[in-house]
Amino acid sequence: MAEAAAELLERAARRDAALEELRALRVAVQAVPLAALRSRLAEHHLRALFGLLAVNDREQVSACVSILERLLQALDPLYVIQSLREELHKGLFHPEDSVKILAMSQIGRIVEDSAAVPEILHSPELLQQIINCIGEEKIAVAKEAIKSLSRIAQSQEGLEALFGSSLLGDLRRVMATSDIVRYRVYELIVEISSVSAESLNYCASSGLISELIGELTGEDVLVRATCIEMVTALAHSPQGRQYLAQQGVIDRISNIILGAQSDPFSSFYLPGFVKFFGNLAVVDSPQQICERYPVFMEKVFEMAESQDPTMIGVAVDTLGILGSNVEGKQVLQKTRSRFQNLLSKMGHQAKNAPTELRLRCLDAISSLLYLPPDQQTEDLLRMTESWFTSLSSQPLELFRSISTQPFPDLHCGALRVFTAIANQPWAQKLMLSSPGFVEYVVDRSVEPDKASKDAKYELVKALVNSKTIAEIFGNQYYLRLRAYLLEGPYYVQAASTTAVEGAE
């Protein structure tokens, strides 16, 4: 096969390969190991194949792109940029998106290589065209461009190249193309800002973060809804949170939530603003955020208590995020009966709401009830037990009934609730006292698909790994669970058959 590929490569290099031969070459190069390709590949082969892209024949272009994708994998990124710089640059201008993606993906390989990336930094015309690709109609091309520029900006030299030269003007020019492209540039700026404090300083000095914040706090409600997602991503890094706090952005977001009561269009942006605070509370301090911005917690409860399924869904998600750590759980516990009443409503919705909201409730309940083993104090165990009993008059049976429904997502969601409480002694006692529950856990026949088998296995693993399980469940059940764990999630017991003499 290697000989056949070499012969077809030579024909392609002479540019007299017919389309059928290019198709044959596409098949051949996939079958030849990369090491064997590397030993037979020369620069003139690659230049010729790039040359064959310059035709108005989609089939030929498609074949050549597939061949080049495979061949270039065999080559060192430094060799690619040094030998094929011009070809890559032309590829970025090609009318076919597949060629642009080929060129962009190779640039992606080059910027991941510390030895090769300086070659890109010393090619301003190539950088300029990568920036132009952010404005491409095809989202795959734009995503590759954003990814490459974000990687380039991870070095001091890259930051200087992007923000300390005329390329910043190119970024601004591309931004002016359309709203969609402007948001892509903001996305790039947020990605770069998340790398380090120095990266954020470069982005802030460019004025682009200020423009993003300006749009967030402006009057256009649809723009607000888009921008809050990017500002939430910016808040994931410590330097991003510090910047937002210093610039008074968090206070402004809080004030917008406060004024949303009188805004008839607040439903467009309010979910995103509430999610912002939910994420901020988890990465920062739930107690400090909730104390400093009481409007956040009040709004979450209002949304959860409303009749609007969209608002309820966002509130449930936010409660799940907020209650994912112990400090957040304690903040919720301080609201006492109000949160207990909400849990009752969540239990009702987990059973009766439309499927999407049921799933969100199940995920939030799992997050709220989970306690890491090293944080299982008596007070916290009493708290999670009281929360569980607030969900329904018979909460274990509620989730068991959901887990037996023929909908894989709901089935797995209910199993995740059991897994969340599986390492807590009160839950183990409840499971043991529920008729048939342990038999249900070790019954493999009720799991019809891979996701269900994986979810059941995680439940068994959580039970077996608990320090109290052997004492509470007893040796017989413990050994059955342990056997299940050792057999793995996909074990199938062999069925034995007996031949009977004279049987037909």
Side-chain angles (χ1 to χ4, degrees):
M1 184 59 82
E3 291 299 329
E7 190 178 323
L8 287 164
L9 267 173
E10 284 303 328
R11 288 188 63 79
R14 293 194 296 271
R15 303 208 183 187
D16 59 1
L19 183 57
E20 282 304 317
E21 289 174 311
L22 288 173
R23 287 180 183 144
L25 179 56
R26 174 166 56 186
V27 174
V29 295
Q30 295 298 332
V32 178
L34 290 177
L37 285 174
R38 195 179 298 117
S39 65
R40 292 170 178 271
L41 203 52
E43 195 175 312
H44 71 280
H45 294 135
L46 297 162
R47 288 189 186 282
L49 284 163
F50 269 105
L52 289 170
L53 295 170
V55 294
N56 189 21
D57 183 335
R58 281 199 165 182
E59 278 201 70
Q60 178 170 311
V61 168
S62 175
C64 289
V65 165
S66 296
I67 295 163
L68 282 164
E69 279 174 348
R70 177 67 175 167
L71 296 179
L72 291 169
Q73 278 179 39
L75 300 174
D76 183 73
L78 182 59
Y79 174 85
V80 173
I81 184 61
Q82 287 178 338
S83 306
L84 300 166
R85 186 190 311 264
E86 190 180 334
E87 283 73 15
L88 292 177
H89 191 217
K90 284 180 182 174
L92 296 175
F93 287 93
H94 200 282
E96 285 290 331
D97 288 327
S98 62
V99 180
K100 285 183 185 137
I101 292 170
L102 169 70
M104 282 303 320
S105 64
Q106 287 306 309
I107 289 164
R109 284 183 67 219
I110 293 159
V111 299
E112 291 287 338
D113 187 292
S114 57
V117 72
E119 295 285 338
I120 294 273
L121 295 177
H122 299 140
S123 304
E125 71 292 340
L126 198 55
L127 283 169
Q128 184 183 44
Q129 190 52 27
I130 297 170
I131 287 170
N132 289 340
C133 283
I134 298 175
E136 283 292 329
E137 194 174 331
K138 187 89 169 179
I139 187 67
V141 178
K143 287 283 182 192
E144 285 289 344
I146 290 168
K147 195 163 77 174
S148 292
L149 290 167
S150 179
R151 181 65 186 79
I152 286 165
Q154 288 187 20
S155 68
Q156 175 72 37
E157 296 81 7
L159 288 166
E160 280 292 338
L162 282 176
F163 296 105
S165 69
S166 60
L167 292 175
L168 180 57
D170 293 317
L171 264 178
R172 288 192 170 282
R173 178 179 47 75
V174 169
M175 282 178 80
T177 308
S178 69
D179 288 348
I180 290 172
V181 176
R182 187 168 76 256
Y183 299 138
R184 288 177 188 169
V185 174
Y186 286 147
E187 183 187 332
L188 169 65
I189 294 301
V190 167
E191 278 192 31
I192 294 172
S193 299
S194 301
V195 174
S196 67
E198 186 182 22
S199 302
L200 186 137
N201 287 338
Y202 271 93
C203 293
S205 298
S206 73
L208 291 170
I209 299 183
S210 299
E211 290 174 31
L212 170 61
I213 303 303
E215 294 201 38
L216 173 73
T217 54
E219 296 303 314
D220 189 320
V221 293
L222 295 176
V223 167
R224 275 184 186 176
T226 305
C227 291
I228 191 62
E229 290 184 25
M230 294 176 214
V231 173
T232 301
L234 183 61
H236 284 156
S237 67
Q239 67 271 14
R241 291 193 295 280
Q242 186 179 10
Y243 175 85
L244 292 172
Q246 287 173 347
Q247 300 296 314
V249 177
I250 302 173
D251 291 333
R252 276 143 75 188
I253 293 172
S254 174
N255 289 335
I256 290 172
I257 293 176
L258 205 56
Q261 201 76 41
S262 57
D263 184 354
F265 301 107
S266 63
S267 61
F268 286 107
Y269 60 82
L270 200 51
F273 278 48
V274 168
K275 281 182 190 174
F276 167 82
F277 273 108
N279 283 285
L280 191 64
V282 169
V283 295
D284 210 330
S285 160
Q287 188 168 336
Q288 285 180 24
I289 293 298
C290 293
E291 284 177 0
R292 182 166 180 182
Y293 304 102
V295 65
F296 158 59
M297 277 294 286
E298 181 57 36
K299 186 55 67 175
V300 171
F301 277 100
E302 268 181 35
M303 290 163 73
E305 290 160 355
S306 75
Q307 300 303 312
D308 182 342
T310 303
M311 293 300 178
I312 294 170
V314 172
V316 162
D317 293 345
T318 307
L319 289 167
I321 292 168
L322 188 61
S324 62
N325 63 32
V326 168
E327 190 182 325
K329 287 175 172 44
Q330 290 169 327
V331 167
L332 292 170
Q333 179 69 351
K334 285 178 184 173
T335 65
R336 304 209 177 271
S337 61
R338 193 173 186 189
F339 183 58
Q340 301 274 356
N341 292 337
L342 259 192
L343 285 168
S344 176
K345 185 175 181 179
M346 284 171 70
H348 177 78
Q349 286 161 338
K351 183 181 179 182
N352 301 299
T355 302
E356 189 203 352
L357 184 52
R358 293 177 73 185
L359 289 169
R360 291 165 84 171
C361 286
L362 289 169
D363 285 344
I365 290 165
S366 301
S367 178
L368 289 163
L369 294 175
Y370 176 69
L371 269 181
D374 60 338
Q375 295 179 317
Q376 290 185 9
T377 64
E378 284 186 26
D379 286 347
L380 289 174
L381 285 168
R382 269 197 300 271
M383 180 190 75
T384 52
E385 184 177 8
S386 74
W387 286 5
F388 188 70
T389 55
S390 296
L391 290 162
S392 166
S393 57
Q394 292 185 302
L396 199 74
E397 295 312 310
L398 165 69
F399 296 114
R400 193 169 164 189
S401 70
I402 295 171
S403 75
T404 57
Q405 292 177 9
F407 305 106
D409 288 347
L410 290 171
H411 175 76
C412 293
L415 287 174
R416 283 194 293 273
V417 173
F418 292 139
T419 305
I421 59 174
N423 65 3
Q424 300 177 51
W426 62 263
Q428 293 168 5
K429 290 171 185 172
L430 207 58
M431 291 174 182
L432 186 65
S433 65
S434 176
F437 188 87
V438 182
E439 284 74 12
Y440 162 71
V441 173
V442 293
D443 183 1
R444 292 180 181 273
S445 67
V446 295
E447 311 308 331
D449 52 59
K450 182 180 182 299
S452 301
K453 292 178 198 298
D454 288 339
K456 174 69 77 69
Y457 188 72
E458 289 302 314
L459 169 57
V460 172
K461 191 198 297 184
L463 286 166
V464 172
N465 289 342
S466 166
K467 289 179 181 177
T468 55
I469 193 70
E471 181 190 342
I472 292 172
F473 268 37
N475 211 35
Q476 181 188 353
Y477 282 141
Y478 171 67
L479 290 174
R480 286 178 69 183
L481 288 166
R482 197 151 171 260
Y484 190 118
L485 187 71
L486 293 171
E487 288 161 358
Y490 315 118
Y491 175 77
V492 178
Q493 190 166 0
S496 59
T497 57
T498 306
V500 180
E501 190 178 348
E504 303 216 353

